[in-house]
């Protein structure tokens, strides 16, 4: 048992170091940035309160998915700006158990605050309670779980559901079959977005001719996601659109339909740097959406600091000025789609197409 724990400690430490030493994407505003560009990271004001000697840890969903590495880079940058020591520790796999192991190690290290991109909506609750009982601040980002003090949500669920469903409506020309290619079946964020899409489709007649044939799970693994996209093409010969609300699934679907020479269109959220060549006129995906993952990492740190400083408790309706100078309001949970924590929203979904994808691919 001791040996197993020592091995796991070694794993998370190595992963932590690897992530910390990763390249930091530039967050400078390009001169030609579109008017409604994803929010840019801004230099925070000097922190004078409680940053001395603090250690903040981040536990993303998985190693090897650059989306999470970019968030971790934003986390590291903001920690540096506040004079906080950052720790980035990836779980061994995408199970809740692997995250629990990492969180227990962080509790033992007596860190001051932990941010979790949760792989399960409920299974981490007991471990989070242990952390909070010891005075550790716990927030979630990217994907929520029960027990978090605040969920730093990349974008409002309804806003994302709206652009995803409208993309499907547009790419199917208003009617026909589409399928969703998700990440893991327990990912809170994926399930929240899927639930919000279902609610939206049921609420408006203009979506009544869309046929949602199935939802499949690529587990945010490149090959599995590609294989799932191929199976969709085989199993549903009349399929018009694959909608993937995960960066890994989105680009895998783009590759699968392009390699097959299929007419199927791909909608969803993607990383600009991965999606070059697949987004724009004449490709499988005229446009896609995302937000600025660097800012998720930044705001996660600022929110942890605000909780530690006592500026907020995490209650709905509280407002705070983050270290980037922007004011944020804590909004209600959305239990109807599986979000149990109060939320702070990073920004709106931003549309990437042939006109701007190259510019943003240089950043993330
Ligand atoms: C994937 C992950 C992540 C999600 C992004 C958009 O990389 O599933 O949780 O938020 O895509």
């Amino acid at each position: 048992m001791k040996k197993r724990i020592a091995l796991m400690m070694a794993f998370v430490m190595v992963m932590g170091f690897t992530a910390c030493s990763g390249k930091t994407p530039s967050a400078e505003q390009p001169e030609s940035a579109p008017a409604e560009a994803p929010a840019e990271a801004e230099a925070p004001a000097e922190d004078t309160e409680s940053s001395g000697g603090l250690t903040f840890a981040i536990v993303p969903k998985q190693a090897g998915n650059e989306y999470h590495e970019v968030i971790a880079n934003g986390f590291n940058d903001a920690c540096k700006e506040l004079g906080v020591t950052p720790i980035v520790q990836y779980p061994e796999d995408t199970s809740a158990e692997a995250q629990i192991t990492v969180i227990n190690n962080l509790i033992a290290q007596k860190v001051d605050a932990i941010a979790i991109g949760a792989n399960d909506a409920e299974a981490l609750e007991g471990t989070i309670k242990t952390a909070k009982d010891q005075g550790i601040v716990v927030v979630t980002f990217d994907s929520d779980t029960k027990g978090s003090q605040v969920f730093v949500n990349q974008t409002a669920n309804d806003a994302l559901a709206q652009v995803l469903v409208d993309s499907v409506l547009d790419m199917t020309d208003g009617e026909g079959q589409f399928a969703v290619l998700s990440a893991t079946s327990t990912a809170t964020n994926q399930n929240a977005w899927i639930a919000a899409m279902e609610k939206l489709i049921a609420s408006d007649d203009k979506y009544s001719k869309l046929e949602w044939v199935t939802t499949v799970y690529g587990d945010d693994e490149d090959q599995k996601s590609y294989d799932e996209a191929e199976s969709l093409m085989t199993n549903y010969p009349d399929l018009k659109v694959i909608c993937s609300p995960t960066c890994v699934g989105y680009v895998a679907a783009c590759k699968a339909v392009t390699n097959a020479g299929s007419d199927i269109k791909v909608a969803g959220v993607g990383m600009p740097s991965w999606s070059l060549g697949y987004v724009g006129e004449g490709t499988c995906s005229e446009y896609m959406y995302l937000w600025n993952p660097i800012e998720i990492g930044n705001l996660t740190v600022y929110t942890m600091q605000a909780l530690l400083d006592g500026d907020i408790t995490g209650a709905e309706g509280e407002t705070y000025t983050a270290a980037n100078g922007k004011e944020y309001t804590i909004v209600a949970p959305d239990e109807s789609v599986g979000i149990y924590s109060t939320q702070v929203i990073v920004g709106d979904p931003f549309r990437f197409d042939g006109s701007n994808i190259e510019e943003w691919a240089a950043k993330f």
Side-chain angles (χ1 to χ4, degrees):
M1 183 67 183
K2 266 192 183 155
K3 194 172 168 203
R4 188 173 154 74
I5 290 172
L7 276 173
M8 281 184 163
M9 290 276 288
F11 175 81
V12 291
M13 283 172 73
V14 168
M15 293 315 297
F17 176 77
T18 308
C20 285
S21 63
K23 189 169 150 260
T24 302
S26 159
E28 280 151 33
Q29 180 85 21
E31 277 170 23
S32 55
E36 290 191 342
E40 289 285 355
E42 289 172 17
E46 282 283 299
D47 179 72
T48 49
E49 276 183 79
S50 63
S51 57
L54 295 177
T55 301
F56 289 1
I58 187 169
V59 185
K61 275 180 166 179
Q62 68 178 144
N65 177 344
E66 203 188 323
Y67 177 80
H68 300 293
E69 289 166 11
V70 175
I71 293 177
N73 288 335
F75 180 90
N76 284 333
D77 288 348
C79 281
K80 199 171 158 203
E81 287 157 355
L82 296 191
V84 171
T85 303
I87 299 179
V88 182
Q89 293 198 336
Y90 292 91
E92 202 173 19
D93 55 44
T94 53
S95 67
E97 291 71 28
Q99 287 195 314
I100 288 170
T101 302
V102 173
I103 297 164
N104 279 330
N105 288 335
L106 293 168
I107 295 170
Q109 287 177 52
K110 298 190 189 307
V111 299
D112 297 286
I114 303 174
I116 306 162
N119 280 317
D120 192 286
E122 303 189 0
L124 308 178
E125 192 179 10
T127 315
I128 289 177
K129 183 173 183 314
T130 306
K132 288 193 301 189
D133 285 349
Q134 296 188 25
I136 298 172
V137 158
V138 181
V139 302
T140 36
F141 67 96
D142 177 37
S143 187
D144 188 36
T145 195
K146 276 187 178 170
S148 161
Q149 289 171 257
V150 178
F151 172 37
V152 181
N153 195 353
Q154 42 237 320
T155 199
N157 291 304
D158 291 346
L160 184 60
Q162 188 74 58
V163 296
L164 292 178
V165 172
D166 284 342
S167 301
V168 172
L169 191 72
D170 177 30
M171 293 184 193
T172 56
D173 290 324
E175 59 184 319
Q177 294 188 345
F178 76 99
V180 168
L181 170 57
S182 182
T184 62
S185 61
T186 57
T188 322
N189 61 331
Q190 296 289 318
N191 292 338
W193 296 336
I194 289 168
M197 287 174 71
E198 283 167 352
K199 282 208 285 188
L200 177 63
I201 288 174
S203 74
D204 194 328
D205 252 10
K206 75 176 172 187
Y207 305 121
S208 62
K209 290 187 178 148
L210 294 178
E211 187 190 350
W212 188 333
V213 289
T214 189
T215 299
V216 295
Y217 299 90
D219 292 347
D220 269 352
E221 290 171 16
D222 299 331
Q223 189 61 48
K224 186 161 193 283
S225 303
Y226 188 93
D227 293 346
E228 291 291 348
E230 276 196 327
S231 299
L232 287 173
M233 286 189 274
T234 310
N235 296 340
Y236 298 94
D238 295 330
L239 195 69
K240 285 177 139 181
V241 171
I242 297 175
C243 177
S244 188
T246 152
C247 301
V248 177
Y250 171 83
V251 72
C254 287
K255 286 179 181 166
V257 302
T258 304
N259 290 347
S262 165
D263 287 340
I264 291 174
K265 300 290 178 204
V266 181
V269 295
M271 286 275 279
S273 57
W274 304 356
S275 308
L276 276 178
Y278 297 108
V279 177
E281 299 253 352
T283 71
C284 63
S285 188
E286 208 176 302
Y287 53 89
M288 65 169 200
Y289 288 86
L290 198 70
W291 34 80
N292 188 337
I294 302 166
E295 240 216 358
I296 299 171
N298 294 165
L299 185 57
T300 298
V301 171
Y302 303 149
T303 305
M304 293 157 113
Q305 184 74 60
L307 284 161
L308 271 172
D309 286 345
D311 295 343
I312 53 171
T313 63
E316 181 186 342
E318 288 178 336
T319 59
Y320 59 108
T321 304
N324 60 2
K326 291 186 193 161
E327 182 148 310
Y328 293 90
T329 300
I330 297 178
V331 298
D334 191 352
E335 293 188 15
S336 71
V337 296
I339 293 176
Y340 296 104
S341 311
T342 54
Q343 312 176 69
V344 57
I345 308 295
V346 178
D348 291 324
F350 177 74
R351 178 174 152 137
F352 297 90
D353 57 27
S355 72
N356 60 11
I357 184 115
E358 277 191 33
E359 173 188 328
W360 286 94
K363 291 168 172 287
F364 49 81

